[in-house]
Amino acid sequence: ILQKSNIPTPKYFVVTKKQKKVFYPKFPLIVKPAKEGSAIGVSIVKTADKLNKALKLAFKYDDNVLVEKYIKGRELSVPILGNKVLPIIEIKPNYNMFYDYKSKYRSGGSTHIIPANLNKNLYNKISDMALKFMKSIGCEVMCRVDVILDEQNKPYFLEINTIPGMTETSLFPESAKKYGISFSCLLDKIIGLSFKKY
């Protein structure tokens, strides 16, 4: 969907359990289950000798595994409520080199910069592409779009979370709060938009 919408995303391919032989692009790579969330079963693989271990872990959670080119850069997340992009978040993991499960759910696991420190043109470009991504899959009430901004400031769109986390350490309510929307008000808005639409 991203490719058809002309939205940049890392080069990737899908590996299944039944495949006997696979040719991999150059390392490093990201290996992750196709249908999981919360970074469960995700590995960064820097060398070929670590690949089988990463695939084995990912296959514990899904029969299809996504192998992507690793993009070094800043981790961003774009929360969207209705047609409004809430403040973009930059995520700096404190426990690992990426925003893994531990970084997501442990208190102090990551530092969130809201809004992300981006120049106005880049901020607007990422916001517009995130909205385009949301509309391209038919999502209408809320979502959170994950992005890597590489060292040349080129954004790569990774995925869309149609039911983003809503815990005390979650990104979506934190961004909404920065925008001036309390947690209870955020829930009211999500419910209101849903009733209006459905």
Side-chain angles (χ1 to χ4, degrees):
I1 292 171
L2 284 164
Q3 289 173 339
K4 286 180 179 177
S5 301
N6 293 316
I7 298 172
T9 191
K11 291 182 180 178
Y12 76 96
F13 56 94
V14 177
V15 182
T16 68
K17 277 186 175 179
K18 295 179 181 179
Q19 284 178 263
K20 301 294 183 186
K21 194 171 184 180
V22 181
F23 295 95
Y24 297 95
K26 65 179 183 177
F27 294 86
L29 301 168
I30 294 280
V31 176
K32 57 188 177 184
K35 296 176 187 171
E36 260 301 339
S38 295
I40 294 170
V42 176
S43 304
I44 296 177
V45 182
K46 296 181 179 179
T47 55
D49 59 311
K50 305 290 185 185
L51 184 57
N52 282 338
K53 182 180 178 183
L55 287 169
K56 188 176 179 181
L57 174 64
F59 279 131
K60 282 174 63 177
Y61 301 100
D62 199 340
D63 290 341
N64 297 303
V65 169
L66 196 63
V67 179
E68 291 180 342
K69 178 184 176 184
Y70 172 70
I71 307 292
K72 185 178 180 182
R74 298 159 65 186
E75 293 192 54
L76 306 175
S77 202
V78 187
I80 304 173
L81 181 63
N83 285 317
K84 178 66 182 176
V85 175
L86 300 179
I88 296 175
I89 306 155
E90 180 173 0
I91 306 153
K92 294 189 175 182
N94 295 329
Y95 292 137
N96 208 333
M97 62 185 294
F98 74 103
Y99 193 43
D100 63 355
Y101 188 89
K102 196 158 105 172
S103 300
K104 288 173 189 283
Y105 296 109
R106 285 197 184 176
S107 181
S110 60
T111 302
H112 305 158
I113 300 166
I114 310 172
N117 186 19
L118 305 168
N119 70 57
K120 186 177 179 180
N121 287 340
L122 182 58
Y123 195 101
N124 291 339
K125 178 181 178 182
I126 291 171
S127 297
D128 291 345
M129 284 195 286
L131 274 168
K132 184 178 179 183
F133 187 13
M134 178 184 183
K135 290 173 183 175
S136 72
I137 70 157
C139 182
E140 296 172 311
V141 173
M142 66 182 295
C143 71
R144 206 190 73 239
V145 178
D146 293 339
V147 181
I148 291 288
L149 188 65
D150 77 5
E151 293 173 318
Q152 286 72 48
N153 280 334
K154 179 179 178 180
Y156 288 87
F157 287 70
L158 304 179
E159 64 181 20
I160 189 165
N161 300 277
T162 54
I163 307 178
M166 298 291 280
T167 71
E168 290 180 1
T169 58
S170 295
L171 300 170
F172 198 98
E174 192 175 0
S175 174
K177 185 177 179 181
K178 192 73 175 181
Y179 190 70
I181 304 172
S182 69
F183 187 74
S184 59
C185 186
L186 176 61
L187 298 182
D188 286 341
K189 285 180 179 293
I190 292 167
I191 293 165
L193 284 166
S194 300
F195 271 116
K196 186 176 180 181
K197 182 65 190 177
Y198 301 105

